[in-house]
Each structure stands twice: as structure tokens, then as C-alpha cells.
Amino acid sequence: MKKTLPVIGMACSACSANVENKLRSIAGVHEATVNLVGRTATIDFDPSQVSLQELKNQVSDIGYDMVIDQERSVEEIEAREWKLLKRKTIMAWVLAAMVMCLAMGWVNAGGRDAANQLALIISLASMILCGKQFYVNAFRQLRHKGASMDTLVALSTGIAFTFSTYNTFWGEVAWGARGIAWHTYFDAVTMIIAFVLTGRMLEEKAKDSTASSLRQLMGMSPKTARVVAKKQPVEGDEAGEMVPISTIEKGDLLEVRAGEKIPVDGEVTWASSFMTDDAAYVDESMITGEPTPAAKRVGDKVLAGTIPSQGRLRLRAREVGEATALAQIIAIVQQSQNSKAPVHRLVDKAASVFVPAVAAAALLTFVLWLAIAGFDALPRAILSMVSVLVVACPCAMGLATPTALMVGMGKAAERQILIKDATALEMLRKVDALVTDKTGTLTIPNQSVVDFTHADGMSLDEREALKPNAREAITALKKMGVEVHLLSGDKEEAVRYWAKQAGIEHYQSGVMPADKEQLVKRLQCEGKTVAMMGDGINDTQALALADVSIAIGTGTDVAMDVAQVTLMGNDLLSVPAAVELSRSTVKMIWQNLFWAFVYNLVCLPLAAGVLHLFGINFQITPMWAAGLMALSSVSVVLNSLRLKYKTI
């Protein structure tokens, strides 16, 4: 059994890695993939060996929450979590401002000792009231030999608070008597908590935007339906009551009026509109991309989520719930956004060792400061260690890939392009050869050579047409460096004619399914990355062999099952759009990874105080380290969101 379940409480790539590793370690779980940005876990498990409740308990044990019951609304949970996070962030800034006023001497608190003691109390309040989850989660993860951003925050603030508390009561005795200047860092403690919470709040808002396309799709699913009769039809025009969609069964008779969403996939039993007595007009653009409402008459199929724009109709429910076409589209988009591209898997491996590596780097910084400058440099060594722990958070690196993939997959869905997995999205950018079927793929089905005498003796019927924007699509692909091949089992003159109409130089006629497969294989042997586009059973061999397989949504179920990419509409400009989207998405991923790497490359040495070795008195303090860490994560997400507004 495979389930995609929401996971609450993940903040960084180390968090998602912890959840993923925990799930994979459970007996009965075959595979588990966790999406940080989508906040979901896709789990393939054996329900006879492990239950959903056991999975939830295991995840809860390491500090996260998994939603397994439908009674709990994920939206409500996340809204509640967001409000709590917002309140904590505001409180953290208020407390941080109070400590800053004491640290800077802006408030007369009755002397240095009194100011430090008051700052200690305020900092402790901030740690308990605002940052409690950092310490609880870090402890839980430590018990299971795990680590995350919470570990770094807990370590850095804990060390700074402990050292500052020591200095508050014994600083003058320990350091002052030896002529060493001593300080407390309660301002750093409160500022780190405030900045980290602010960063998380901004990340959550930005991550919501990356998932907006999926939410729009899910919002197309109606919540209620108007029942005319259960199982059996009734005579007359009187409609029944509105009931929850969950109560609808196959065979129920439903009525839908203009402006209402069709609740299930079904077959029209009666239709009427002011234009005609035997048809209603349904807007199917959200599914097929076709802008013109389609006439629906008795016997025609209608899909859940589409909307009658004129008239009203009755339908017999044929597919309900998760079996509807809309539900399957949503499932494909969820699956694709939860899948991981090869580059993402590489980043995951790096992120899994990043937190321990940062902790080791912080400890090394501490030891080197003492070794180079002696025990008198203990305050500086601790400050540097805390700065390294804070500034090197793996959030930016962990968010680099999934945010770009989420936006890319969502944008593809908006263009009626369904991409089944991240590997296909990444591979599309490399395509430099496209093999396409003719009938039903390049041309409208059932067009044939019948009666038009051409100058060279060909007989062609001018009634024919290519699919919308077919020639423009081929031209765009050739400009992108893609070599296009047309294959068909049709006659030579027909294939030559259509190839010329579409602007395709390479074509073959009279081919069998095995011939299509052989061409794909030959092009691959020439070193090309091949995409195969088709719509029928005769295309499945070539589709299965191709590097990227593209099916037409109006084709056979077999072709769509094999294909990695499905075009829901008839506009073939979707093909170059998919290639361009792939190139833009992967480019965005590498941009994000580059800047995340540069951020750590620059900030880590500055936080460790390397410049002091060269006589330059500059160092990133813990407070600024927290601000830079938050800024890096938010900037990566915002950079990915630029893809959302790119014209494809």
C-alpha cells in the first residue's frame, strides 16, 4: 500500500532526512520519500506488518507529527501552527529588544551585575516560551542518534547562555582578576531565537506559495453534490438535496446546474440549455486546456471539477472519490512533487552529514582559538564556536532543490502538463531528439488520405487538420536544438504531406511498433537523449525505451501509464514549453545550490574569526550569524518563486 501523508514540524533538510530515515527503518516499510517543501511523506508499506498509527508513533517519537486521520484537517493544523509561530516570533523580538537595551546600557538597571541578572531572566524566558521546541526536538533526535537545525540552535544558544550565566556570577573573579575583559551574550541568545523563528515564519509563507498550484488543483474538487436519486433514476425535473461528496456512490443520479462544479466522473443522462434542448455546455479548460465549452449530450462523459457554463445536466456517477480523473491528476502532481531528482538525492546525502560536520567545525574552531591564543582567548573561542554553529545551518542547501521542483511541477500542471516524477523533469532539458507518432498525436484522429489531387499526384482531403499550434511547436523545438522525427504506419504520400505541413524533415511511413522502438534505440546509440511522443498501444514499446516518454491525454490508458509526461490538451506548444520549463527549473536548482554553497564558503570562516589571524578585527557575531542564516534560507525560496512568474 502506498500513502502520501502530511508531516508537521519539519524545518530543514536534516529534519526531512530524519523522518525519511526513521520511516525506512521500520519493519514493513518498503520505501519512504519525504518532501520538505510539500511537508508530506510518501510511504510504501505492508499494512499487515505495520499500521498507520505505528508509523505516526515512530515519527512522533523523533519530534514530528504525521496526520493519518481525515478528521484532522491539515489546513487547520497548519493554520494553528502558523498562528503559534507568529506569536512566538513577536514575543521573541520583544524579549530580544529588552535584552538588547540592557546590553547596550540604554536602560539603567542598577549597575552591570543587576543588568546581567535581569538579562539572564529574560533570556531564560525566551528560551522556554519561544524556543522550547528547539531543545525538545534536539533531545529527541539525540536519543535516536539524529541531528537537525534544531540541534545547532539548541547547542549555540545553550552554550552562549551557560557561558553568560557563569560570567554573570563569577566573571569578575574568573577573568577580571587576571585583567581579561569579559562579557555576557544574552543578547546573542535572544537574537538567535528571534532570527531563527523569523526565518521559519518567512520560509513557511514562501513554501506555501510554492505549493499554490497543487492547492488550486485540490480546490477544484467539489465538496457537495445534488442527488436526484440513489442508484436508480427518477422521472421529472425536481432535484434532491445537497449532500457531502463522500456519500456519493457509483450509480447515483446527480444534477449539476450552470456555475456548479461537476462532483464526479459520470455519464450524461439528460441535458438542456437555452441554446438547445438536448445539450449543456461544460467548461473543461482546467482539465484539458481547451478554452471553448464542450457540448455534452446524453451518453457523453463528464469529469469531476469541470463546470457547466450554460444549462444544466444530469449524470450517472461512474467514478467517485480517488478514482476520478481529477483525483488522479492531483495524485500525479503530488507524486511528482514528492519525487526526488538525481541532484536532490545528492544534496540529501550531503545534508545528512552536514549537521555533524558543522558541529565538528565549531569544536575545531574552539580548540584552534585556545591553541593559538591561549586560555585568555576562551571568551573569543566560545563566541566563535557559537557563531559557526548558527551561521552554517543547512536550510538553504536543503531548500534549494525541492522549492524549485515544487514550483516547476506546479507550473507544468497549470499548463496541463502532468510530469510523473522529478527525474523526467530533469531529463527533459537534455532532450535533443523527438520521435512522434502521426495520427492522434500530430494530427487530429481519423484524418486520412481520401480526395484531393496534388500536383505530384497525391490524393488528399483538405478537411485534416494538424493539432493546434503543431507547426509552431515543431519550429520552437528545432530552435531549441531538438531534431524531430515523424513515424507513422500510414501511406508514404500522407506521411510526406503531414511532415511538410508540420515542418518536419525526418519522416518514415509504413512503420510497425518495433520500427519505432528501433529508431529510438538508434538515436540513443548516436548519443542523443530521445523523447518519444505517442497516444496509442502501438507506441508503448518506443515510449518505454525512450529517455523521456510523452503521452497525449486523449490517447489510450496504456500509453499514459507508460509515459512519464502526459499532455492533457491538444495544444502541442506544451512540448517545447515542457522542455523550456525543465531547463529553467534545473537552472534554478543549480543557482540555489551555488549561492547556498557560496554563503557557507564565505560565512563560515568569517564566523570562525579567521580574519583576526591577519590583523583584521572583524568577525560575524552570533546575532548577525542568526540573521544571515535566516536570510539565506528565505532568499533561496524567493529565488525559486521567480520561476512561478516566468513566461513559458
Side-chain angles (χ1 to χ4, degrees), residues 33-78:
T33 304
V34 177
N35 186 329
L36 171 62
V37 180
R39 290 165 285 196
T40 56
T42 300
I43 312 166
D44 186 1
F45 67 102
D46 183 351
S48 67
Q49 289 186 265
V50 61
S51 67
L52 285 176
Q53 187 60 50
E54 289 172 312
L55 295 175
K56 172 185 169 60
N57 293 342
Q58 293 280 358
V59 170
S60 298
D61 199 37
I62 59 171
Y64 308 97
D65 184 23
M66 182 182 286
V67 181
I68 62 172
D69 51 341
Q70 295 182 348
E71 286 74 21
R72 298 176 66 198
S73 166
V74 177
E75 290 75 15
E76 290 179 5
I77 293 172
E78 290 183 343

Side-chain angles (χ1 to χ4, degrees), residues 214 325-339 409 417-421 560 564 566 568:
L214 180 58
L326 176 59
Q328 291 174 6
I329 290 171
I330 292 172
I332 289 173
V333 176
Q334 280 183 320
Q335 175 185 320
S336 66
Q337 292 185 334
N338 288 336
S339 63
M409 296 291 193
I417 304 169
L418 297 184
I419 302 176
K420 286 187 178 178
D421 56 57
M560 286 185 280
Q564 297 164 296
T566 300
M568 297 305 295

Side-chain angles (χ1 to χ4, degrees), residues 519-591:
L519 177 60
V520 171
K521 191 178 296 184
R522 177 171 65 79
L523 291 171
Q524 288 173 331
C525 289
E526 293 174 3
K528 295 185 181 298
T529 302
V530 184
M532 171 66 196
M533 182 166 68
D535 72 323
I537 295 175
N538 62 331
D539 299 316
T540 53
Q541 289 176 247
L543 286 169
L545 181 64
D547 298 292
V548 180
S549 47
I550 305 173
I552 305 300
T554 55
T556 65
D557 291 340
V558 175
M560 286 185 280
D561 285 343
V562 172
Q564 297 164 296
V565 181
T566 300
L567 309 180
M568 297 305 295
N570 274 323
D571 189 347
L572 292 184
L573 279 176
S574 296
V575 181
V579 175
E580 177 59 30
L581 184 61
S582 170
R583 293 178 178 181
S584 298
T585 302
V586 175
K587 180 181 178 182
M588 191 68 70
I589 289 172
W590 285 111
Q591 278 182 7

